[in-house]
Amino acid sequence: MNNDYKEEIARLMRRPPLNRLIGLGVRLVVPRQRVGVALVTFNANEEILLLRHVFHTSNPWGLPGGWLARNEAPDDALRREMREELGLGVTLGPLLQIAHESYPPHLVVAYLGRLAPGPMRLNGEILEARWFGLDRLPRPLWPFAERAIVAGLALWRANPAATRPMEAQPV
């Protein structure tokens, strides 16, 4: 098959204003997808940090995290969310899980990480922050959170030197 016509179209698309028109067309036509980020972090007793959220009505307890802002990278969003929700910095480790969730429809990305030491300062979205033993997790939890916790614990146990947390304390 002759690709000459494709090459000609590609050449034309590289020229202004057609390349800007294509960019506009993509922004108008291609569907958008919400993206959330979550942090899996453990303390020295292998307890997981969960937050009780104001706006999560059916499953109030969940992993720390939030939504990506426009043009924000997932790791940057998670760092921003930890500063906003907890008043703490975070050192991110490996990506644990990516999944599509149906309600609300979104992609969610979970990382293993360590919170910086210090007292937590909860913002207006967070009712409570608490460390839970794996045998005492509040119910219900979203299935994604449960899978991310299991994956994070396995990695945390397999590589203790790289993933052991510094202590952050709920207020």
Side-chain angles (χ1 to χ4, degrees):
M1 176 179 231
N2 188 342
N3 283 333
D4 289 343
Y5 76 96
K6 291 181 188 178
E7 291 291 343
E8 182 61 21
I9 292 172
R11 186 184 64 73
L12 289 171
M13 291 297 108
R14 287 189 294 269
R15 300 180 73 199
L18 289 177
N19 59 358
R20 287 191 292 276
L21 186 60
I22 290 295
L24 177 62
V26 166
R27 285 192 298 279
L28 293 174
V29 175
V30 174
R32 288 176 180 41
Q33 178 72 53
R34 286 185 208 90
V35 179
V37 288
L39 176 69
V40 174
T41 189
F42 299 97
N43 66 15
N45 299 321
E46 289 191 352
E47 296 171 317
I48 182 80
L49 178 67
L50 297 177
L51 306 181
R52 190 162 63 104
H53 294 80
V54 170
F55 301 113
H56 296 188
T57 55
S58 60
N59 296 17
W61 287 96
L63 295 169
W67 299 111
L68 266 70
R70 183 174 292 243
N71 297 321
E72 187 176 35
D75 56 339
D76 291 338
L78 195 49
R79 287 183 190 95
R80 175 184 50 77
E81 285 289 343
M82 295 307 95
R83 283 189 310 274
E84 289 176 6
E85 290 184 349
L86 303 174
L88 293 173
V90 63
T91 301
L92 294 181
L95 176 70
L96 293 174
Q97 185 174 1
I98 299 174
H100 181 267
E101 296 294 312
S102 57
Y103 184 78
H106 68 285
L107 295 174
V108 63
V109 180
Y111 289 89
L112 184 62
R114 295 181 293 145
L115 288 172
M120 292 183 195
R121 294 182 315 277
L122 307 181
N123 75 359
E125 297 176 26
I126 307 303
L127 293 166
E128 186 177 359
R130 190 183 312 167
W131 297 97
F132 287 92
L134 299 178
D135 59 340
R136 298 176 300 123
L137 294 176
R139 301 290 177 195
L141 281 179
W142 291 106
F144 175 85
E146 293 192 37
R147 291 189 310 269
I149 291 167
V150 169
L153 185 61
L155 190 58
W156 191 73
R157 287 176 172 168
N159 192 0
T163 58
R164 286 292 186 234
M166 301 172 276
E167 293 297 319
Q169 300 298 319
V171 278

